[in-house]
Structures are given as C-alpha cells and as structure tokens.
Amino acid sequence: MASEQMTLAAYLEAWSAGDASRQEVSATILEMAKASAELSALVAEGPFVRGLAKTIGDAGGGDVKKFLDVEAHKLFKAALQNAPVAAIGSEEADNAEILNEKAPLVVAIDPLDGSSNIETNVSIGTIFSVLPVAEGMSPDEALLQAGNAQVASGFVLYGPQTTLVMTVRDGTQLFTMSPKDRVFRLTRANLQISPNKAEYAINASNERHWPKPVQTYMRELNAGTAGARQRDFNMRWVGSLVAEAYRILIRGGIFLYPGDSRPGYEAGRLRLVYEAIPLALLMTEAGGAASDGTRAILDIKPDDLHQRIPLVFGPPDEVRRIEYYFQVPPVEQDSPLFSDRGLLRD
Ligand code: AFP
C-alpha cells in the first residue's frame, strides 16, 4: 500500500479505505499535520518573532514554559477542534481540555518538545498520541489508557527538514514536508530499527545520580573493546527527545533517561502519557522496544496526565539487557567477574 513519495493524505486514504473509525483517525492526523506545518513556519521565523524563546513560566521539575510552548498548544488545540476529538491532554495545560465532547477520539500531546533548544537553533518537535474513547469512558479516562490502546501516534521534527514520523499500527512511516508546497510525502516506509548501532544517548552529566543497573550498563558501554561488550560505543545527546528518537529510528542506537537520585527526578524527567507512550508505539512498530527499566511502556496504565516515567528505547536486545540488570542484585554487579565479562555474553 505504501509507496514512496505518496502524500500523507493519500497514505491515510488508502489505509482508511471506507472504514469509518479509520477515517476518524485519518482526519485527526491530517489536522495534526496541518497545524505542524504552520508551527514549522513559526519556528523557522525564529528571532524575527519577538519573544519566541522567552520564558513565561515554570512548568515544574526542571521544565520551563516558553512562549512557543504556549503558542504551539493553542495552534494544535484550534486545529483539533476540526477533528473528531473529544479532548486534548497537553503538557501545557493542567487538565484535559474538552473539544467535541461526544467525539470518538482523544489526543495526548507535547506541543513543543525541546523548548530549551529554541534559542540555540537545535531541532525541536511535537509528540502526539491518539486514543479511542470506549463506550462509557470519559475523555479523562480515555487519556489515561495504557499505550497498547493507542490507535495512532507520531512526532514532528522541526529540524533541517520538517518530518512527521507516524504510525496507525501498520508500521512506522516517515513523511517529509516539501518546502515547495508544504505537503508531507512518504520518504521512508516501514522503518526498522538497526540492532547493531554502537551508539547511546544519555545525559552523561547525571552519572553519579543513576541507579546502579544503569551505572553498570553504561560502564560496560564505556569500557569499549576491552570490556564485556567488546566494542567501542559512540555518544550523542541533543537534549530534544524527538531528535534522539528520529536518529535512533534512522540509524539505530539506545536511548536512556532513567530515574535518578536528584530530588524530583525519581521517575526521570520525561512524561509517560504524551512522550513515552507515543514513542513506545513508534519504536515497537519499527521492531524496537521501550521500557521503564522493568516494564514495557505500552503495558503501563498512567495514573496522572503529567506523571513522569524512566524511559529506555532502542533495539529489543539492548532494552532487554538493561531490564535484566535491574533484576540482578547490585552486589553481583560489583563483582570483578561481572565487570570483566558482564552477565550476558554478546
Ligand atoms: P525541554 O522541553 O524543557 O527542553 O526538555 C526537553 C526534554 O524533555 C527532552 O526532550 C530531552 O530529551 C530532555 O528534556 C533533556 O533533559 P536534560 O536537559 O536533563 O538532558
């Protein structure tokens, strides 16, 4: 069905093929894409838009609220008024906001991820999750379903290109917005995460705060060819989750933002509902895995719209390895045998 260069609208038309529920999902994604094309233009204006990166509040837990965060929220909320969406659960609003109350879908969204990178001209993005409103379910309850309930998810990367990475649970598809006509076209169909890329993404400055399983795993990677992994690893850390996710989908690697001992970081920094859950579906549909270190992200039922979650994603073998280290008692991890050979031979 998916042929390179087909437009997002054509792809969704072929996928929904007369099915009313699928047509509702398609209409929602098309409204998200339209709004992201508008946001892309605003981001590209950069310093010509007064106060674009201005801090206008504190979102708590190390997150500050920027002017563009709020503008992005308004943009997507206005767009989704035109879609079959009952409510939007946004990082930029304390509570879910009702749009079309009896509509069959809800959308969880991080309107602008990576806002600390706006003034440094580094890629930033939008992350979204689309969930069904089951019979008798309120929009608030619909937003707090486990990630396995998602009917679609995606993120938009505002970088050198504006790209939409999206799944309707039929593989992970990459659409690039042509600067000529601002139309999204399929440029990579059915992405598959490479299992072999020796590259990790973690904020290494937090090493002393990490739990021992993560310290053990990272010590092995940094031991290079002389260590248990018997290969040298490279590091990348952009500070925009969407940029890391895009790179890992394109060339492989492992991402970790663990919980750590800093006050407020016990469950890490990233949000479950509108960051980890949508990304986990994209990774899984691309043959990867996503975990909080002990559970698959897609199995976790959120308690709160804004709850944080430790997040690891990448090739299944790497994610399983990290999960295993969370099961091994720390004392074993300190033994010389472990540090030389590790518990899992490659
Ligand atoms: P901002 O939106 O506040 O820039 O946070 C971005 C983010 O949530 C995520 O996109 C990054 O992966 C992560 O924070 C970077 O966190 P550190 O600054 O602690 O490395």
Side-chain angles (χ1 to χ4, degrees), residues 17-93:
D19 176 294
S21 301
R22 287 189 171 194
Q23 285 169 345
E24 289 158 349
V25 174
S26 299
T28 301
I29 291 170
L30 287 170
E31 285 299 337
M32 288 296 301
K34 208 187 300 177
S36 64
E38 272 184 68
L39 182 55
S40 169
L42 184 60
V43 168
E45 284 191 68
F48 297 112
V49 176
R50 266 174 53 76
L52 194 68
K54 187 163 160 288
T55 297
I56 56 175
D58 176 8
D63 296 333
V64 294
K65 194 182 280 285
K66 299 280 178 78
F67 167 82
L68 192 57
D69 284 313
V70 174
E71 286 309 299
H73 170 77
K74 288 181 198 165
L75 219 162
F76 286 107
K77 183 177 173 182
L80 292 175
Q81 296 278 9
N82 309 319
V85 173
I88 179 174
S90 169
E91 179 167 38
E92 302 311 324

Side-chain angles (χ1 to χ4, degrees), residues 42 50 56 62 84 99 105 169 245 272 307 322 327:
L42 184 60
R50 266 174 53 76
I56 56 175
L99 300 180
L105 299 172
R169 305 194 75 120
L272 175 58
Q307 79 181 75
I322 294 162
Q327 295 160 23

Side-chain angles (χ1 to χ4, degrees), residues 63 112-116 203 237 239-241 255 257 269-270 275:
D63 296 333
L112 198 86
D113 169 68
S115 46
S116 58
N203 183 334
W237 187 251
S240 279
L241 176 59
F255 175 93
Y257 206 118
R269 173 171 180 158
L270 303 174
E275 290 178 331

